[in-house]
Each structure stands twice: as structure tokens, then as C-alpha cells.
Amino acid sequence: MKKYGTDHNPRPAASAESGRPSSARAPLRLAATLAFAGFALSVVAGLLHADTASANDHPATFTEYAGSSIWTAVHLGQFVGMALLIAGLLVLLMVLKGPDGTMTWTARFGAVAAVAALALYAALQAVDGVALKHAVDAWFAAPEPERAARFATAEGIRWLEWGMRSYQSFVLGAALILTGAVVVGARRISRLIGYLMALSGLAYLAQGWIIGAVGFSPANTIPTLSGIVLILVWSVWLLVSAWLGKDVPDRDRRRG
């Protein structure tokens, strides 16, 4: 005898399942938009940065910095850009962390590293964008008897900047590597995005080592450019994937 009320109609479930991806992708789209916007703002602010002189030639560099009228604004723009990029990483980690605990600890460590990287960057920009600017302005305007002492003060702040940027690069590199691992493990978006994130993290680790050892030397050119290009590629790819792509079904993720 047929028992009424025990059969399940698959249509509502299918309808609900078909409506899920669009709402589920909203946080992913937010993460991608924040990350790309942060990268773009950082690049624009960096293009306005006074850097025609060799960065390790302190007399020439300090003279150029003293003549910059937008120095503080440029560094504020760089900080906002980094804050948006870090916010994108944090949202991405929340989105991709598996509901069953998959990659939970990796995502947590990645989030801690990302927050620490932002805190270090805030301190770095306070030193570089505010303290160093005042120091070089005071050196440039000082009478000759005071110039040596003023220069020593500015150079000390510069060396502090080296140390802070070195460690910020280390921590940001770790955050990018951990986030890349979560992207690869989650399999919701292309794993190549995760690999590119990890590579950009390695570029930042290299930057941290070089800056800590020899400052802003030409030896840092390749790691710096590599990091910029890699972040450009994965942030654009993530943006396109989040807005135009489709979620990988759960069964395919488990199978992969």
C-alpha cells in the first residue's frame, strides 16, 4: 500500500540547491573585490611615491623626501590599500574554511598572520610616512652646525623602517602562503590561484630577508617585482572567478 506523505519531491530541493550558489558566492565576491581594490590602491599610491634617487643613498633620498608635499598622503594611501588587501584575505579565509573543520587551523594561523601583518604595516607607515618625513624636513631646514645631528636622527629612523618592513614582509609572506594553502585545500576556486598566492608569499619572504640585511638595495628589485606581478595575476584571477565562475559541487571537491 502506498503511504501518502512519505515520498519526497526532489523539485524543491533542486530549486533550493540551484539558488544556493549565487548567495553563497557573495562573500567570495566581497573577498575578491577587497583584495583587488587594495592591490590597485597600493600600486597607485606607490606610483606617487618619491623614489627617483637611490633608496640607500640617504643624503639624496632625504633631500627628495623633504621636497615631497604629498608624502604623508601617499603613505596613508598605501596603508589603506594594505588594509583592504588584508581584509580580502580574512574574508577569503572565512569563506573557504570547511564547515567540517577542513583546513580550520591553517585558516586560523593565516588569519593571525594577516592581522599581524596589518598591525606591523600600520606601525611601519607611521614611522615612514610621519616620523621620517618630520626628521628629513628638520634636517633639510637646519642650520649647518645642526645638520649632522639632524641627519643622524633621520638615518636612525630609516634603519628602524628597514627593520619594521623586513618583519612585516616576513609576516605578510606567511599570511599569503597559508591563505594559498587554504585555497588549494578548499577546491572551491582554481587551485592555481592558491599556488600563485603562495609564490607571492615566498617573494615577500625574500624581500624581508634582503631588506633586513642590506636595506632598500637593487638586490631587492626582482623579489619586489615578482611579488607585484604575482599579486596582480592572482587578484585579477580571483576577481574574475568570484564574479563570473561557478562553485565546484561538494561531491567534486570531495572526489578531488
Side-chain angles (χ1 to χ4, degrees):
M1 179 182 293
K2 183 177 181 181
K3 296 181 180 180
Y4 293 97
T6 60
D7 290 341
H8 296 284
N9 187 349
R11 292 183 179 179
S15 175
E17 182 67 21
S18 63
R20 184 183 65 83
S22 59
S23 59
R25 292 188 72 81
L28 183 60
R29 290 170 177 169
L30 174 62
T33 302
L34 286 171
F36 178 76
F39 169 76
L41 180 57
S42 295
V43 169
V44 171
L47 292 174
L48 299 174
H49 193 288
D51 60 358
T52 58
S54 174
N56 276 2
D57 181 353
H58 291 165
T61 301
F62 291 169
T63 300
E64 186 176 13
Y65 292 174
S68 175
S69 61
I70 59 172
W71 182 263
T72 302
V74 165
H75 288 76
L76 178 60
Q78 289 180 319
F79 171 72
V80 173
M82 180 62 71
L84 291 174
L85 176 62
I86 294 296
L89 294 181
L90 291 173
V91 174
L92 187 63
L93 288 167
M94 293 176 61
V95 170
L96 297 183
K97 182 182 68 175
D100 57 351
T102 304
M103 304 297 290
T104 297
W105 281 104
T106 305
R108 287 176 179 173
F109 285 130
V112 169
V115 171
L118 181 59
L120 284 169
Y121 200 74
L124 168 66
Q125 296 304 74
V127 169
D128 186 13
V130 179
L132 182 59
K133 174 60 173 172
H134 286 295
V136 299
D137 284 350
W139 163 74
F140 190 76
E144 189 60 36
E146 299 180 16
R147 287 179 66 83
R150 295 289 189 181
F151 183 83
T153 299
E155 196 166 44
I157 294 174
R158 182 63 148 187
W159 291 334
L160 176 61
E161 179 193 355
W162 286 4
M164 299 196 71
R165 185 175 290 275
S166 173
Y167 273 76
Q168 196 273 338
S169 296
F170 283 137
V171 178
L172 179 59
L176 289 168
I177 291 171
L178 291 168
T179 305
V182 172
V183 170
V184 172
R187 298 186 178 93
R188 267 192 65 180
I189 54 179
S190 173
R191 284 180 287 183
L192 288 176
I193 295 175
Y195 294 133
L196 290 171
M197 279 186 174
L199 287 174
S200 67
L202 291 175
Y204 272 94
L205 293 183
Q207 291 178 47
W209 178 262
I210 293 171
I211 293 171
V214 293
F216 302 125
S217 74
N220 200 32
T221 301
I222 293 178
T224 299
L225 292 178
S226 298
I228 292 173
V229 171
L230 287 166
I231 293 180
L232 170 63
V233 174
W234 70 248
S235 64
V236 170
W237 194 343
L238 178 63
L239 188 68
V240 172
S241 177
W243 284 94
L244 302 180
K246 296 180 180 179
D247 270 332
V248 177
D250 290 341
R251 61 180 180 274
D252 292 342
R253 277 182 257 165
R254 290 193 294 268
R255 187 183 306 139

PDB file of all heavy atoms in Angstrom, residues 6-32:
ATOM      1  N   THR A   6       4.992  10.160   2.531  1.00  0.00           N
ATOM      2  CA  THR A   6       6.355   9.694   2.765  1.00  0.00           C
ATOM      3  C   THR A   6       7.263   9.922   1.583  1.00  0.00           C
ATOM      4  O   THR A   6       8.465   9.862   1.719  1.00  0.00           O
ATOM      5  CB  THR A   6       6.351   8.196   3.103  1.00  0.00           C
ATOM      6  OG1 THR A   6       5.773   7.486   2.000  1.00  0.00           O
ATOM      7  CG2 THR A   6       5.539   7.920   4.366  1.00  0.00           C
ATOM      8  N   ASP A   7       6.682  10.144   0.388  1.00  0.00           N
ATOM      9  CA  ASP A   7       7.517  10.413  -0.773  1.00  0.00           C
ATOM     10  C   ASP A   7       8.076  11.829  -0.694  1.00  0.00           C
ATOM     11  O   ASP A   7       7.422  12.737  -0.197  1.00  0.00           O
ATOM     12  CB  ASP A   7       6.696  10.264  -2.070  1.00  0.00           C
ATOM     13  CG  ASP A   7       6.340   8.800  -2.326  1.00  0.00           C
ATOM     14  OD1 ASP A   7       7.013   7.945  -1.726  1.00  0.00           O
ATOM     15  OD2 ASP A   7       5.399   8.558  -3.105  1.00  0.00           O
ATOM     16  N   HIS A   8       9.291  11.986  -1.194  1.00  0.00           N
ATOM     17  CA  HIS A   8       9.921  13.312  -1.194  1.00  0.00           C
ATOM     18  C   HIS A   8       9.984  13.814  -2.613  1.00  0.00           C
ATOM     19  O   HIS A   8      10.473  13.111  -3.497  1.00  0.00           O
ATOM     20  CB  HIS A   8      11.333  13.238  -0.597  1.00  0.00           C
ATOM     21  CG  HIS A   8      11.327  12.827   0.844  1.00  0.00           C
ATOM     22  ND1 HIS A   8      10.980  13.671   1.855  1.00  0.00           N
ATOM     23  CD2 HIS A   8      11.612  11.625   1.412  1.00  0.00           C
ATOM     24  CE1 HIS A   8      11.056  13.038   3.005  1.00  0.00           C
ATOM     25  NE2 HIS A   8      11.433  11.784   2.763  1.00  0.00           N
ATOM     26  N   ASN A   9       9.498  14.999  -2.815  1.00  0.00           N
ATOM     27  CA  ASN A   9       9.551  15.610  -4.133  1.00  0.00           C
ATOM     28  C   ASN A   9      10.907  16.257  -4.324  1.00  0.00           C
ATOM     29  O   ASN A   9      11.287  17.154  -3.570  1.00  0.00           O
ATOM     30  CB  ASN A   9       8.446  16.666  -4.251  1.00  0.00           C
ATOM     31  CG  ASN A   9       8.331  17.220  -5.662  1.00  0.00           C
ATOM     32  OD1 ASN A   9       9.199  16.966  -6.491  1.00  0.00           O
ATOM     33  ND2 ASN A   9       7.274  17.954  -5.915  1.00  0.00           N
ATOM     34  N   PRO A  10      11.709  15.814  -5.310  1.00  0.00           N
ATOM     35  CA  PRO A  10      13.056  16.363  -5.467  1.00  0.00           C
ATOM     36  C   PRO A  10      13.089  17.782  -6.000  1.00  0.00           C
ATOM     37  O   PRO A  10      14.099  18.431  -5.946  1.00  0.00           O
ATOM     38  CB  PRO A  10      13.702  15.398  -6.470  1.00  0.00           C
ATOM     39  CG  PRO A  10      12.546  14.871  -7.273  1.00  0.00           C
ATOM     40  CD  PRO A  10      11.407  14.789  -6.321  1.00  0.00           C
ATOM     41  N   ARG A  11      11.963  18.272  -6.514  1.00  0.00           N
ATOM     42  CA  ARG A  11      11.993  19.577  -7.179  1.00  0.00           C
ATOM     43  C   ARG A  11      12.318  20.728  -6.241  1.00  0.00           C
ATOM     44  O   ARG A  11      13.140  21.579  -6.561  1.00  0.00           O
ATOM     45  CB  ARG A  11      10.664  19.825  -7.901  1.00  0.00           C
ATOM     46  CG  ARG A  11      10.468  18.895  -9.083  1.00  0.00           C
ATOM     47  CD  ARG A  11       9.175  19.213  -9.819  1.00  0.00           C
ATOM     48  NE  ARG A  11       9.011  18.323 -10.959  1.00  0.00           N
ATOM     49  CZ  ARG A  11       7.939  18.371 -11.774  1.00  0.00           C
ATOM     50  NH1 ARG A  11       6.988  19.263 -11.548  1.00  0.00           N
ATOM     51  NH2 ARG A  11       7.864  17.524 -12.785  1.00  0.00           N
ATOM     52  N   PRO A  12      11.668  20.807  -5.038  1.00  0.00           N
ATOM     53  CA  PRO A  12      12.020  21.921  -4.161  1.00  0.00           C
ATOM     54  C   PRO A  12      13.487  21.901  -3.767  1.00  0.00           C
ATOM     55  O   PRO A  12      14.138  22.936  -3.688  1.00  0.00           O
ATOM     56  CB  PRO A  12      11.106  21.730  -2.947  1.00  0.00           C
ATOM     57  CG  PRO A  12       9.946  20.940  -3.478  1.00  0.00           C
ATOM     58  CD  PRO A  12      10.535  20.024  -4.513  1.00  0.00           C
ATOM     59  N   ALA A  13      14.017  20.686  -3.496  1.00  0.00           N
ATOM     60  CA  ALA A  13      15.428  20.599  -3.125  1.00  0.00           C
ATOM     61  C   ALA A  13      16.310  21.074  -4.252  1.00  0.00           C
ATOM     62  O   ALA A  13      17.286  21.785  -4.041  1.00  0.00           O
ATOM     63  CB  ALA A  13      15.789  19.157  -2.747  1.00  0.00           C
ATOM     64  N   ALA A  14      15.977  20.662  -5.448  1.00  0.00           N
ATOM     65  CA  ALA A  14      16.773  21.090  -6.596  1.00  0.00           C
ATOM     66  C   ALA A  14      16.710  22.588  -6.772  1.00  0.00           C
ATOM     67  O   ALA A  14      17.700  23.241  -7.091  1.00  0.00           O
ATOM     68  CB  ALA A  14      16.274  20.385  -7.864  1.00  0.00           C
ATOM     69  N   SER A  15      15.479  23.114  -6.536  1.00  0.00           N
ATOM     70  CA  SER A  15      15.330  24.552  -6.684  1.00  0.00           C
ATOM     71  C   SER A  15      16.162  25.290  -5.642  1.00  0.00           C
ATOM     72  O   SER A  15      16.822  26.281  -5.927  1.00  0.00           O
ATOM     73  CB  SER A  15      13.844  24.936  -6.542  1.00  0.00           C
ATOM     74  OG  SER A  15      13.694  26.320  -6.577  1.00  0.00           O
ATOM     75  N   ALA A  16      16.115  24.726  -4.393  1.00  0.00           N
ATOM     76  CA  ALA A  16      16.895  25.371  -3.344  1.00  0.00           C
ATOM     77  C   ALA A  16      18.378  25.283  -3.641  1.00  0.00           C
ATOM     78  O   ALA A  16      19.132  26.219  -3.419  1.00  0.00           O
ATOM     79  CB  ALA A  16      16.590  24.706  -1.990  1.00  0.00           C
ATOM     80  N   GLU A  17      18.794  24.080  -4.154  1.00  0.00           N
ATOM     81  CA  GLU A  17      20.205  23.909  -4.461  1.00  0.00           C
ATOM     82  C   GLU A  17      20.639  24.824  -5.584  1.00  0.00           C
ATOM     83  O   GLU A  17      21.729  25.375  -5.575  1.00  0.00           O
ATOM     84  CB  GLU A  17      20.453  22.445  -4.849  1.00  0.00           C
ATOM     85  CG  GLU A  17      21.895  22.132  -5.153  1.00  0.00           C
ATOM     86  CD  GLU A  17      22.774  22.239  -3.928  1.00  0.00           C
ATOM     87  OE1 GLU A  17      22.225  22.154  -2.821  1.00  0.00           O
ATOM     88  OE2 GLU A  17      23.993  22.431  -4.088  1.00  0.00           O
ATOM     89  N   SER A  18      19.740  25.027  -6.570  1.00  0.00           N
ATOM     90  CA  SER A  18      20.111  25.889  -7.689  1.00  0.00           C
ATOM     91  C   SER A  18      20.207  27.341  -7.272  1.00  0.00           C
ATOM     92  O   SER A  18      20.932  28.117  -7.871  1.00  0.00           O
ATOM     93  CB  SER A  18      19.083  25.745  -8.817  1.00  0.00           C
ATOM     94  OG  SER A  18      17.806  26.195  -8.378  1.00  0.00           O
ATOM     95  N   GLY A  19      19.473  27.702  -6.193  1.00  0.00           N
ATOM     96  CA  GLY A  19      19.541  29.088  -5.739  1.00  0.00           C
ATOM     97  C   GLY A  19      20.665  29.358  -4.768  1.00  0.00           C
ATOM     98  O   GLY A  19      20.977  30.483  -4.471  1.00  0.00           O
ATOM     99  N   ARG A  20      21.324  28.254  -4.261  1.00  0.00           N
ATOM    100  CA  ARG A  20      22.333  28.428  -3.244  1.00  0.00           C
ATOM    101  C   ARG A  20      23.595  29.108  -3.729  1.00  0.00           C
ATOM    102  O   ARG A  20      24.120  30.004  -3.061  1.00  0.00           O
ATOM    103  CB  ARG A  20      22.684  27.073  -2.620  1.00  0.00           C
ATOM    104  CG  ARG A  20      23.657  27.175  -1.479  1.00  0.00           C
ATOM    105  CD  ARG A  20      24.008  25.791  -0.948  1.00  0.00           C
ATOM    106  NE  ARG A  20      24.708  25.030  -1.973  1.00  0.00           N
ATOM    107  CZ  ARG A  20      26.003  25.118  -2.214  1.00  0.00           C
ATOM    108  NH1 ARG A  20      26.729  25.971  -1.523  1.00  0.00           N
ATOM    109  NH2 ARG A  20      26.586  24.391  -3.142  1.00  0.00           N
ATOM    110  N   PRO A  21      24.151  28.720  -4.884  1.00  0.00           N
ATOM    111  CA  PRO A  21      25.460  29.254  -5.253  1.00  0.00           C
ATOM    112  C   PRO A  21      25.541  30.762  -5.343  1.00  0.00           C
ATOM    113  O   PRO A  21      26.530  31.348  -4.951  1.00  0.00           O
ATOM    114  CB  PRO A  21      25.735  28.597  -6.611  1.00  0.00           C
ATOM    115  CG  PRO A  21      24.921  27.347  -6.588  1.00  0.00           C
ATOM    116  CD  PRO A  21      23.699  27.701  -5.828  1.00  0.00           C
ATOM    117  N   SER A  22      24.452  31.395  -5.846  1.00  0.00           N
ATOM    118  CA  SER A  22      24.534  32.842  -6.021  1.00  0.00           C
ATOM    119  C   SER A  22      24.702  33.551  -4.680  1.00  0.00           C
ATOM    120  O   SER A  22      25.512  34.464  -4.548  1.00  0.00           O
ATOM    121  CB  SER A  22      23.283  33.361  -6.742  1.00  0.00           C
ATOM    122  OG  SER A  22      22.126  33.043  -5.985  1.00  0.00           O
ATOM    123  N   SER A  23      23.924  33.129  -3.648  1.00  0.00           N
ATOM    124  CA  SER A  23      24.057  33.752  -2.340  1.00  0.00           C
ATOM    125  C   SER A  23      25.344  33.316  -1.657  1.00  0.00           C
ATOM    126  O   SER A  23      25.969  34.091  -0.941  1.00  0.00           O
ATOM    127  CB  SER A  23      22.847  33.400  -1.460  1.00  0.00           C
ATOM    128  OG  SER A  23      22.747  31.995  -1.304  1.00  0.00           O
ATOM    129  N   ALA A  24      25.760  32.062  -1.894  1.00  0.00           N
ATOM    130  CA  ALA A  24      26.976  31.567  -1.266  1.00  0.00           C
ATOM    131  C   ALA A  24      28.212  32.247  -1.822  1.00  0.00           C
ATOM    132  O   ALA A  24      29.238  32.319  -1.147  1.00  0.00           O
ATOM    133  CB  ALA A  24      27.083  30.049  -1.453  1.00  0.00           C
ATOM    134  N   ARG A  25      28.145  32.739  -3.033  1.00  0.00           N
ATOM    135  CA  ARG A  25      29.300  33.367  -3.648  1.00  0.00           C
ATOM    136  C   ARG A  25      29.458  34.839  -3.263  1.00  0.00           C
ATOM    137  O   ARG A  25      30.488  35.447  -3.577  1.00  0.00           O
ATOM    138  CB  ARG A  25      29.214  33.244  -5.179  1.00  0.00           C
ATOM    139  CG  ARG A  25      29.355  31.823  -5.674  1.00  0.00           C
ATOM    140  CD  ARG A  25      29.468  31.771  -7.177  1.00  0.00           C
ATOM    141  NE  ARG A  25      30.761  32.266  -7.638  1.00  0.00           N
ATOM    142  CZ  ARG A  25      31.873  31.536  -7.640  1.00  0.00           C
ATOM    143  NH1 ARG A  25      31.852  30.306  -7.186  1.00  0.00           N
ATOM    144  NH2 ARG A  25      33.006  32.040  -8.080  1.00  0.00           N
ATOM    145  N   ALA A  26      28.456  35.410  -2.601  1.00  0.00           N
ATOM    146  CA  ALA A  26      28.548  36.824  -2.227  1.00  0.00           C
ATOM    147  C   ALA A  26      29.769  37.117  -1.355  1.00  0.00           C
ATOM    148  O   ALA A  26      30.504  38.080  -1.617  1.00  0.00           O
ATOM    149  CB  ALA A  26      27.262  37.267  -1.529  1.00  0.00           C
ATOM    150  N   PRO A  27      30.058  36.319  -0.299  1.00  0.00           N
ATOM    151  CA  PRO A  27      31.276  36.589   0.484  1.00  0.00           C
ATOM    152  C   PRO A  27      32.551  36.407  -0.335  1.00  0.00           C
ATOM    153  O   PRO A  27      33.528  37.139  -0.130  1.00  0.00           O
ATOM    154  CB  PRO A  27      31.200  35.560   1.627  1.00  0.00           C
ATOM    155  CG  PRO A  27      29.765  35.178   1.707  1.00  0.00           C
ATOM    156  CD  PRO A  27      29.255  35.239   0.305  1.00  0.00           C
ATOM    157  N   LEU A  28      32.549  35.436  -1.252  1.00  0.00           N
ATOM    158  CA  LEU A  28      33.718  35.234  -2.113  1.00  0.00           C
ATOM    159  C   LEU A  28      33.935  36.447  -3.009  1.00  0.00           C
ATOM    160  O   LEU A  28      35.076  36.887  -3.222  1.00  0.00           O
ATOM    161  CB  LEU A  28      33.536  33.973  -2.950  1.00  0.00           C
ATOM    162  CG  LEU A  28      34.705  33.581  -3.865  1.00  0.00           C
ATOM    163  CD1 LEU A  28      35.956  33.331  -3.052  1.00  0.00           C
ATOM    164  CD2 LEU A  28      34.341  32.350  -4.693  1.00  0.00           C
ATOM    165  N   ARG A  29      32.852  37.000  -3.525  1.00  0.00           N
ATOM    166  CA  ARG A  29      32.964  38.198  -4.344  1.00  0.00           C
ATOM    167  C   ARG A  29      33.466  39.381  -3.526  1.00  0.00           C
ATOM    168  O   ARG A  29      34.250  40.201  -4.016  1.00  0.00           O
ATOM    169  CB  ARG A  29      31.606  38.511  -4.968  1.00  0.00           C
ATOM    170  CG  ARG A  29      31.192  37.504  -6.038  1.00  0.00           C
ATOM    171  CD  ARG A  29      29.761  37.685  -6.468  1.00  0.00           C
ATOM    172  NE  ARG A  29      29.404  36.750  -7.535  1.00  0.00           N
ATOM    173  CZ  ARG A  29      28.175  36.533  -7.967  1.00  0.00           C
ATOM    174  NH1 ARG A  29      27.159  37.191  -7.408  1.00  0.00           N
ATOM    175  NH2 ARG A  29      27.941  35.672  -8.952  1.00  0.00           N
ATOM    176  N   LEU A  30      33.007  39.475  -2.280  1.00  0.00           N
ATOM    177  CA  LEU A  30      33.483  40.544  -1.403  1.00  0.00           C
ATOM    178  C   LEU A  30      34.984  40.413  -1.172  1.00  0.00           C
ATOM    179  O   LEU A  30      35.733  41.392  -1.253  1.00  0.00           O
ATOM    180  CB  LEU A  30      32.734  40.497  -0.067  1.00  0.00           C
ATOM    181  CG  LEU A  30      33.222  41.473   1.014  1.00  0.00           C
ATOM    182  CD1 LEU A  30      33.058  42.916   0.562  1.00  0.00           C
ATOM    183  CD2 LEU A  30      32.478  41.226   2.327  1.00  0.00           C
ATOM    184  N   ALA A  31      35.437  39.191  -0.881  1.00  0.00           N
ATOM    185  CA  ALA A  31      36.864  38.949  -0.649  1.00  0.00           C
ATOM    186  C   ALA A  31      37.692  39.330  -1.865  1.00  0.00           C
ATOM    187  O   ALA A  31      38.723  40.012  -1.757  1.00  0.00           O
ATOM    188  CB  ALA A  31      37.091  37.480  -0.287  1.00  0.00           C
ATOM    189  N   ALA A  32      37.254  38.900  -3.042  1.00  0.00           N
ATOM    190  CA  ALA A  32      37.998  39.185  -4.270  1.00  0.00           C
ATOM    191  C   ALA A  32      38.031  40.681  -4.560  1.00  0.00           C
ATOM    192  O   ALA A  32      39.072  41.221  -4.968  1.00  0.00           O
ATOM    193  CB  ALA A  32      37.358  38.429  -5.440  1.00  0.00           C
TER     194      ALA A  32
END
